[in-house]
Amino acid sequence: MSAQRNGGGDGARNGNSYEAPKPRAEWLSKRRDQAVRSGDQNFSQMHYARLGAITEEMEYVAGKERLTPELVRDEVAAGRMIIPANINHPELEPMAIGVASCCKINANIGNSAVTSNVDEELKKLHTAVHFGADTVMDLSTGGDIPEIREAILRHSPVPIGTVPIYEAISRVKRIEDLTPEIYLEVVEEQASQGVDYMTVHAGVLIQYLPMVSKRITGIVSRGGAILAQWMAHHHKQNFLYEHFDDISKIMTKYDVSYSLGDGLRPGCIADASDEAQFAELATLGELTKYAWERDVQVMIEGPGHVPMDKIREQVDKEVELCYGAPFYTLGPLVTDIAPGYDHITSAIGAAMIGWHGASMLCYVTPKEHLGLPNDKDVKDGIIAYKIAAHAADVARHRPGARDRDDAISYARYTFDWNKQFELSLDPETARSMHDETLPDDYYKEAGFCSMCGPKFCSMNYSSKVDEFNKRVHGLEKKDLTPLMEENLVKLGRTAS
């Protein structure tokens, strides 16, 4: 299955003619046959886990995560891990989001009302998956939204998430015209297409609206702001909260996971950890228990913009109020002064919150707050967040998390430039930066780079100390060549 991680190959970039592999097709066919025989139409991974079953998805996740299938099943049953895997997304390569698994990253793509098209979104999908996005959210708000989503789903080996309220809004003239019936219709259609998880802003309640009056940036979540306006106009409670059971019935039918939205997340560091944010979080905890009673998988969305000294508090509060459901955070950005560089301001916070226990990090691109990201922005955001998630895994001592660091460090120390390039997150960029000043093949075996040159390379001199230690003291440095080769095989790369 790992070959799919190219995001559909060239076909994903050349339109809809490409047909992606469907590794889950046989599993799902058997599961549907069993459901017909038993009459049990709840297809959620949590439902199977609570029945004591280990699904093929759980087996596959266990192999990827270096966990036992039994542990994966137990974590899913307890709600501490989700496996977003809609039964109508056979192209999916299963993955897990939870504190027992590696820290994951999500990339947002999707068009706006003024720009982008299907081919452009498929290009972004390919870039996101190629550079390591574990899930992708289609946040399209204009054009033929169902067509774009269908193309993305049929090309995607990773879970696809959506925010159904966006498409629901596209079906009415004014926000106040939105009805529960329209929203449920959208949820059903998206679930039947194969969407794996949905952001549902059911925790923004009418009694919380006065709490945002003290904020600098008010309500920055699009879904949260839409529902706040609807409630303010109608003087009624959030219809997503009141119809949560109806939404949950659709989720069980297709195994769609909830991503309970943080509609009152802070939009600047001054607004972090305020009354509105934590009031909504408590409601999300209430909804989590309700969903779990119906065996629906849940993760909780989190901020946002948070200064570094308040980041641990975010995780502690989420665990306390939401019973350990996986925490999925946007950043958080640790300062608000760097438009154009918010992939950096947010990656700092993302690494910290991942270390403290967040299960998935939603990337931020350099275009955050400025415009719709293009293909290069997607890549820059992905790389920043792969660094953050990996740093979190290393800090949390995940099994094997440091292997690639050790392998690339050994390649660097032994001046194996080609292996150093190929073991990096972005080999093309690493190679091109080296070759800007030393392009000839001769320098791929040289014991120096252009920074230090041959006379000032510390590692070159240190290798002479190694020879001394071996000759005089019998101390020999460990050969990590097998570790380098093992990691190259895992990455599907060769160094030549």
Side-chain angles (χ1 to χ4, degrees):
M1 279 195 206
S2 59
Q4 295 179 73
R5 296 294 292 175
N6 67 5
D10 290 337
R13 288 167 286 180
N14 295 335
N16 297 333
S17 60
Y18 172 79
E19 184 171 345
K22 298 177 180 178
R24 298 175 65 222
E26 186 176 341
W27 305 347
L28 296 171
S29 178
K30 291 178 181 177
R31 210 165 292 159
R32 288 189 176 94
D33 290 343
Q34 291 170 353
V36 170
R37 291 193 296 271
S38 68
D40 185 352
Q41 295 298 311
N42 189 332
F43 286 96
S44 91
Q45 294 289 319
M46 174 177 266
H47 186 60
Y48 291 115
R50 288 180 167 180
L51 292 174
I54 295 175
T55 63
E56 291 91 343
E57 288 86 353
M58 295 176 202
E59 289 269 11
Y60 186 77
V61 162
K64 286 176 68 175
E65 298 283 351
R66 300 188 183 186
L67 303 172
T68 67
E70 291 76 17
L71 177 61
V72 172
R73 177 197 61 199
D74 293 348
E75 289 293 293
V76 172
R80 291 185 296 267
M81 176 184 287
I82 69 170
I83 300 175
N86 189 309
I87 60 169
N88 288 338
H89 190 183
E91 300 87 354
L92 178 72
E93 179 181 331
M95 55 80 71
I97 303 166
V99 73
S101 61
C102 291
C103 190
K104 304 304 191 300
I105 71 165
N106 170 73
N108 293 333
I109 62 173
N111 74 347
S112 73
V114 296
T115 184
S116 193
N117 54 47
V118 172
D119 287 341
E120 181 65 23
E121 297 315 313
L122 289 179
K123 185 178 180 182
K124 292 179 190 176
L125 172 68
H126 179 274
T127 298
V129 175
H130 176 74
F131 284 103
D134 298 292
T135 79
V136 170
M137 292 197 75
D138 172 18
L139 304 184
S140 294
T141 56
D144 192 334
I145 297 175
E147 180 191 18
I148 291 173
R149 184 173 56 248
E150 178 68 17
I152 289 171
L153 281 163
R154 301 291 71 88
H155 287 80
S156 179
V158 302
I160 297 298
T162 61
V163 186
I165 196 92
Y166 295 172
E167 184 175 355
I169 284 295
S170 74
R171 299 188 181 188
V172 296
K173 289 185 177 180
R174 303 175 304 163
I175 286 174
E176 45 267 37
D177 296 334
L178 194 60
T179 66
E181 292 73 24
I182 292 173
Y183 183 86
L184 290 169
E185 178 181 76
V186 169
V187 170
E188 180 83 41
E189 289 176 9
Q190 293 192 3
S192 66
Q193 273 187 303
V195 170
D196 301 289
Y197 65 93
M198 297 183 189
T199 295
V200 178
H201 298 94
V204 183
L205 303 187
I206 193 168
Q207 60 266 36
Y208 301 157
L209 299 188
M211 297 178 183
V212 305
S213 61
K214 298 178 183 178
R215 288 181 163 186
I216 292 178
T217 55
I219 301 174
V220 298
S221 159
R222 289 191 293 194
I226 288 167
L227 289 161
Q229 181 176 332
W230 187 93
M231 289 186 285
H233 177 83
H234 290 286
H235 300 282
K236 290 182 178 180
Q237 188 55 277
N238 184 345
F239 63 82
L240 300 186
Y241 180 80
E242 295 194 325
H243 288 266
F244 196 72
D245 188 51
D246 295 323
I247 303 170
S248 297
K249 288 175 183 176
I250 299 172
M251 302 301 219
T252 64
K253 187 164 58 170
Y254 299 96
D255 191 13
V256 180
S257 299
Y258 274 119
S259 184
L260 291 180
D262 53 340
L264 297 178
R265 68 176 179 266
C268 63
I269 60 174
D271 296 341
S273 301
D274 70 353
E275 181 184 21
Q277 180 193 342
F278 289 144
E280 180 190 31
L281 188 62
T283 301
L284 298 185
E286 170 198 334
L287 295 170
T288 296
K289 290 187 73 174
Y290 190 92
W292 283 351
E293 289 172 4
R294 286 145 186 79
D295 293 350
V296 179
Q297 300 186 97
V298 178
M299 61 181 168
I300 306 296
E301 295 187 8
H305 294 242
V306 181
M308 290 195 294
D309 60 303
K310 292 184 178 181
I311 286 179
R312 175 145 202 169
E313 177 187 30
Q314 308 300 314
V315 178
D316 292 343
K317 280 283 190 181
E318 191 273 345
V319 171
E320 173 195 349
L321 296 175
C322 299
Y323 313 101
F327 200 20
Y328 166 34
T329 63
L330 177 69
L333 286 73
V334 296
T335 181
D336 299 319
I337 65 169
Y341 298 92
D342 278 333
H343 60 311
I344 299 173
T345 65
S346 64
I348 294 167
M352 291 183 67
I353 207 163
W355 171 33
H356 290 309
S359 299
M360 186 160 76
L361 312 172
C362 183
Y363 87 160
V364 173
T365 76
K367 286 273 181 63
E368 185 76 5
H369 307 115
L370 300 173
L372 186 72
N374 60 27
D375 192 49
K376 182 183 184 302
D377 299 322
V378 169
K379 176 188 171 182
D380 290 346
I382 289 285
I383 294 297
Y385 272 69
K386 290 300 286 186
I387 295 168
H390 180 74
D393 285 336
V394 171
R396 290 180 67 83
H397 302 283
R398 303 286 192 193
R402 212 187 69 192
D403 287 355
R404 189 169 172 184
D405 297 82
D406 294 351
I408 197 170
S409 297
Y410 189 74
R412 182 176 297 134
Y413 189 72
T414 56
F415 299 102
D416 194 329
W417 291 101
N418 286 318
K419 283 191 174 67
Q420 184 181 162
F421 301 149
E422 292 303 321
L423 287 164
S424 69
L425 280 176
D426 184 1
E428 183 180 350
T429 296
R431 187 183 299 275
S432 66
M433 286 186 172
H434 172 273
D435 290 356
E436 278 181 17
T437 48
L438 299 175
D440 294 343
D441 286 344
Y442 162 78
Y443 293 110
K444 301 300 189 297
E445 298 178 5
F448 59 89
C449 70
S450 62
M451 176 70 184
C452 296
K455 295 182 68 174
F456 289 93
C457 180
S458 59
M459 289 189 179
N460 207 330
Y461 292 134
S462 184
S463 66
K464 305 298 188 292
V465 177
D466 292 338
E467 295 171 7
F468 168 80
N469 284 333
K470 180 180 179 180
R471 183 176 68 255
V472 176
H473 300 291
L475 300 173
E476 190 164 359
K477 187 179 289 290
K478 185 177 181 181
D479 183 2
L480 297 183
T481 301
L483 184 65
M484 289 194 300
E485 299 297 340
E486 178 186 332
N487 276 269
L488 285 169
V489 170
K490 286 181 183 177
L491 295 168
R493 300 174 184 171
T494 58
S496 57

